[in-house]
Amino acid sequence: MNPNRIDLNLLKVFDAILRTRSVTVAALNLGLTQSTVSNALNRLRDAMGDPLFVRTSEGMMPTTWAEEIAGPIRESLAQIRATLEHKLGFDPAHAERTFTLFMTDVGQFVLLPRLLRLIAQESPLVQIHTDQVPPFRLRESAMENGDVDLAVGYFHEFEGPFHRQRLFTETFVCVSRAGHPRVAGKLSMEQFLKERHLVYLPPGSGHASMEALIDAVFQEHGVQRATMARVAHCLGLWTLIADSDYLAVLPRRLASAFAAMAPLQILEVPIPLPSFEITQHWHERFHHHPGNRWLRNRIASLFGAQESEA
DNA sequence: GAGCAAAAGTACCGCTTGAG
DNA sequence: CTCAAGCGGTACTTTTGCTC
């Protein structure tokens, strides 16, 4: 092994293959061709005297040696990036950076359009990617190693080396179609229980616990919703409501967004439901990164929440 | 068929050297 | 001292063959 033959670009290639388990996808992420990355991997193999990655049915799997050096290399790359960002600062007008956000489809629906408009004005070279990694991977893996810069939404379990900032408090409303034959203006408890409901339950979000919370409140009152369907995605949900006589209990902002696209009416839920907080979370490692900080501030500014980082 | 690896060719960069 | 030519190294692309 000859460390003098290893340059920073080769380490970036190593990290990209490690993350993606694929030479082709790593190349796409790095903006190179597959063969360039393959070539770079070859030089790395030569320099390190180890195959580093072995082709298997599950992709390019790291060798024991590659696994051993992966952590320190990733740490070093993050350190270099942090050092440069600290030294050079983050210049939104000229920064060419991609930020990855974890958000549910509600987040994409309600937050993303406003965020993209804001960023397009201030930072034309910045790209936003959204990702929906499995919840068990989100905190310990994806956010710690920087695959996900920020998680935005309703999260009830975010402990350990994470920071949290409240963005806004959300409440529930009931939604039905505008010309509903039995529901108009005000919704009585009797009517609410008589109608059948669509339940929005996206996978991998805090909505499951939210729905449990709603059901618990109903149980306290000794009542239960008549559920017609559980829906995993919000895409098209407004059409489902607009084309039927079903009711749906939804976060107020999501309901408003739906009402802007379809003839829907927004009604108060006859039972007082608890409000909940929409927050953004980030890993301690990125707390002082100027880029991450800038993005957090921009998101917070959309909801007037700059002052309360914790 | 998709993806990886290798070969061949090209472009660019930095260094050296020699002429003016 | 300056500048152009030559050379070697590096990184890129396209093409092609191989493996899973």
Side-chain angles (χ1 to χ4, degrees):
Chain A
M1 173 173 147
N2 182 359
N4 293 332
R5 291 171 57 198
I6 298 168
D7 68 29
L8 196 59
N9 285 328
L10 294 183
L11 297 184
K12 284 170 69 180
V13 166
F14 174 84
D15 189 47
I17 298 174
L18 192 73
R19 286 175 196 274
T20 61
R21 298 282 193 267
S22 158
V23 171
T24 302
V25 179
L28 272 173
N29 290 352
L30 293 168
L32 303 171
T33 63
Q34 174 270 323
S35 48
T36 299
V37 172
S38 175
N39 200 347
L41 175 58
N42 236 352
R43 291 199 302 279
L44 257 179
R45 284 167 167 163
D46 264 4
M48 295 203 183
D50 185 272
L52 297 175
F53 296 95
V54 181
R55 205 172 157 188
T56 71
S57 56
E58 292 173 17
M60 298 291 276
M61 300 306 286
T63 61
T64 313
W65 165 244
E67 277 177 347
E68 276 176 27
I69 62 173
I73 285 179
R74 184 165 286 174
E75 284 285 326
S76 305
L77 288 172
Q79 189 66 47
I80 289 168
R81 184 180 190 152
T83 303
L84 291 175
E85 277 196 357
H86 271 298
K87 204 70 190 167
L88 302 171
F90 183 79
D91 176 10
H94 300 98
E96 288 185 52
R97 242 208 87 168
T98 299
F99 292 100
T100 302
L101 303 181
F102 173 89
M103 49 172 61
T104 61
D105 46 358
V106 177
Q108 283 195 52
F109 211 82
V110 175
L111 166 69
L112 198 56
R114 294 170 67 189
L115 180 63
L116 292 184
R117 271 198 297 276
L118 182 72
I119 287 180
Q121 287 168 5
E122 295 182 4
S123 325
L125 301 177
V126 164
Q127 285 190 36
I128 300 291
H129 291 181
T130 65
D131 203 353
Q132 290 200 359
V133 295
F136 68 87
R137 263 205 65 221
L138 175 64
R139 290 179 289 272
E140 286 75 16
S141 175
M143 293 189 74
E144 188 179 328
N145 68 27
D147 284 346
V148 171
D149 294 287
L150 278 176
V152 184
Y154 172 67
F155 304 100
H156 56 292
E157 283 176 10
F158 240 113
E159 290 164 359
F162 291 92
H163 291 264
R164 167 188 189 275
Q165 182 180 22
R166 192 187 74 82
L167 295 174
F168 58 88
T169 300
E170 183 62 303
T171 54
F172 288 105
V173 293
C174 188
V175 183
S176 79
R177 74 180 172 99
H180 196 291
R182 296 173 297 279
V183 174
K186 196 157 184 272
L187 190 60
S188 70
M189 179 65 125
E190 189 188 358
Q191 197 61 49
F192 181 80
L193 295 174
K194 210 182 267 178
E195 298 297 330
R196 300 194 76 179
H197 290 246
L198 294 173
V199 175
Y200 170 54
L201 205 59
S205 76
H207 278 261
S209 55
M210 233 187 269
E211 281 299 324
L213 204 66
I214 294 173
D215 284 337
V217 172
F218 286 139
Q219 269 175 19
E220 272 175 31
H221 286 73
V223 296
Q224 196 177 4
R225 281 179 295 180
T227 304
M228 175 59 202
R230 288 182 184 274
V231 185
H233 300 286
C234 78
L235 188 67
L237 181 54
W238 63 89
T239 314
L240 272 177
I241 302 169
D243 289 347
S244 70
D245 290 341
Y246 304 131
L247 306 183
V249 175
L250 298 172
R252 186 178 293 274
R253 279 179 166 78
L254 183 63
S256 299
F258 283 1
M261 291 186 301
L264 301 177
Q265 55 178 332
I266 296 176
L267 311 147
E268 293 307 318
V269 183
I271 295 178
L273 293 175
S275 59
F276 58 96
E277 292 194 334
I278 298 297
T279 50
Q280 56 177 342
H281 298 256
W282 60 97
H283 195 274
E284 162 65 24
R285 279 181 53 198
F286 305 102
H287 188 56
H288 297 294
H289 276 209
N292 193 297
R293 209 171 189 165
W294 169 81
L295 182 65
R296 286 176 345 234
N297 282 333
R298 299 328 288 141
I299 291 175
S301 74
L302 290 174
F303 304 99
Q306 293 98 320
E307 302 301 327
S308 55
E309 281 196 3

